[in-house]
Amino acid sequence: MKPLPHLYEVALSGGPNGYATLLADGAPPLRSAPPTDFDGPGDAWSPEHLLLAAVETCFMFTFRAIAQASKFDFLSLDLSGSGTVDRKDGATRFTEIILKPRLTLPKDADPERARRMLEKGKKACLVTESLSVSVRLEAKIVES
């Protein structure tokens, strides 16, 4: 990892209605629009989906780094997630995010160690730690 602080920049362009385009150096453009729940078209990445994607990808990459540093072997990590948006304390916000990792281990691996490492990955994820919403893990650990 490079020394902190790190700076990330994203640009957004769009007109008075329709889609907007997100741009970041070195990454392909990403089309964005509100989700159908907020009267959007439902065929583009919404801010709500992008937030969940940020949590999921940060969790996965953090878990990979922890597993590598701990010399913990796993075969695959499949992850799904959901986020609930509701009114709370007079504001519309995410009230809960649930991450559902499915971690596949080689034979003779320690499932309890795997569970501890998943929890450590959640706690070390900078995106998760930057949010005020609670993030809950519902992990499934399987051996091949």
Side-chain angles (χ1 to χ4, degrees):
M1 181 173 84
K2 293 182 180 174
L4 296 172
H6 300 169
L7 175 66
Y8 299 92
E9 296 180 354
V10 174
L12 179 68
S13 65
N17 49 48
Y19 299 98
T21 302
L22 290 158
L23 302 166
D25 283 344
L30 189 61
R31 188 168 77 161
S32 185
T36 55
D37 292 333
F38 289 102
D39 299 325
D43 64 351
W45 284 91
S46 70
E48 295 78 3
H49 291 109
L50 289 166
L51 178 72
L52 287 174
V55 169
E56 289 181 22
T57 55
C58 183
F59 173 81
M60 176 176 275
F61 299 147
T62 302
F63 177 78
R64 282 182 184 174
I66 290 168
Q68 184 176 27
S70 302
K71 299 187 183 342
F72 179 78
D73 292 326
F74 68 97
L75 300 177
S76 66
L77 174 61
D78 298 307
L79 185 60
S80 63
S82 62
T84 301
V85 172
D86 204 350
R87 297 249 339 138
K88 184 176 179 183
D89 301 327
T92 303
R93 64 179 72 197
F94 276 90
T95 56
E96 181 179 45
I97 294 175
I98 300 172
L99 293 178
K100 297 178 181 178
R102 184 178 192 277
L103 184 64
T104 304
L105 304 176
K107 290 185 183 208
D108 302 322
D110 181 354
E112 279 310 308
R113 183 175 180 218
R115 195 167 303 282
R116 287 191 307 271
M117 301 219 17
L118 288 168
E119 282 293 335
K120 188 175 181 179
K122 184 188 85 144
K123 290 177 183 162
C125 169
L126 78 93
V127 173
T128 299
E129 288 300 302
S130 298
L131 301 174
S132 61
V133 63
S134 73
V135 178
R136 183 166 41 103
L137 282 182
E138 292 181 0
K140 181 174 183 179
I141 299 171
V142 296
E143 288 184 52
S144 68

